Amino acid sequence: MSGSGTTAGDDPLQTAVWRLRSRACWADAAALLQGRTAGASLQRAALLVERCLYTEQGWEDAEDALRTAEAQAHSDEERGAAACERGQLAYTATLHGVRDRADEARAALGRAAALIPPDTPGRALLDFRRGLIAENLAHAPQAAEAAYRRAHANASAHGDELLLSFTWRHLAGLALREGELAEARRGFGESLRIREELGYLVGTAPALASLADAETEPEASRLRAEAARLSRLLGGVPTWLARHLASAQPATGPAAS
């Protein structure tokens, strides 16, 4: 959930990894990083953990990649980043109902917090993931908002545009729950704009669907149709988006959620 797309001066390897990742080809992207440095092993693990989130598959591959990254990590920051990915995988398994690993997720992110220095890009990602647990596992929206805002400020300070697209989207989701439609539309719109500018195609369909939840007709239906079209182009990824689109209702007023 971190990154900034590619530019003309980027490393060709990272450009190739980004293009594959953004098009839902995580396994192909991970294969480019096989057998490299500790940093590459961490990046490979992160790619395969992200695949689990979007596809609800590939759990064993992600576990194997994580074990490799944990074994190769030497500095506190590397160990903290590996723990952060361990927490995300456990959270994702819990969220998708594969297995309840909520305690493992909290413990791993706690380890990461002890290892990752404040005001670093890794800390921004950690705060965001702690917000996810607060929102979706602990059902504590106030704690989630505080964590998202810390992540948002830190990601902005470090120019992590992709992470900003996630913090915008989740802060907007909390605003929508409170009936704050204007704030929700603003946040969802910013998330969509960033993902389109970065070319993060796999995240664009969810961003379209989220914005639709805060819009009225006919705009809501148009956005959902575009989200469904893009998801089909990517082979039905994210797997959970079709269920969301089928159950979603357009916003009609301040009480919509």
Side-chain angles (χ1 to χ4, degrees), residues 98-246:
V98 176
R99 183 157 59 91
D100 185 352
R101 298 172 60 180
D103 289 344
E104 180 188 349
R106 293 186 183 96
L109 295 188
R111 289 197 304 275
L115 292 165
I116 299 175
D119 302 321
T120 63
R123 193 74 181 204
L125 183 60
L126 171 62
D127 280 335
F128 173 72
R129 288 174 169 174
R130 294 177 104 174
L132 292 176
I133 287 178
E135 180 182 4
N136 297 313
L137 301 188
H139 307 292
Q142 290 183 328
E145 182 178 1
Y148 292 151
R149 291 200 182 280
R150 289 195 302 272
H152 189 87
N154 205 353
S156 180
H158 288 93
D160 191 336
E161 291 292 312
L162 183 57
L163 183 54
L164 279 173
S165 81
F166 282 91
T167 55
W168 272 121
R169 181 166 174 257
H170 283 266
L171 286 167
L174 293 176
L176 184 61
R177 289 185 185 184
E178 296 299 316
E180 299 171 3
L181 286 182
E183 187 64 22
R185 288 183 186 124
R186 174 172 175 260
F188 288 141
E190 283 296 302
S191 178
L192 177 61
R193 176 189 63 78
I194 291 170
R195 292 179 182 196
E196 288 180 334
E197 288 180 357
L198 292 178
Y200 187 55
L201 297 182
V202 72
T204 299
L208 287 163
S210 292
L211 182 57
D213 291 343
E215 290 287 357
T216 54
E217 295 294 358
E219 182 65 4
S221 290
R222 185 192 71 79
L223 290 166
R224 290 191 181 105
E226 179 61 16
R229 184 192 70 82
L230 185 54
S231 178
R232 287 194 300 271
L233 287 174
L234 292 173
V237 176
T239 51
W240 37 262
L241 185 63
R243 298 191 296 271
H244 173 82
L245 293 172

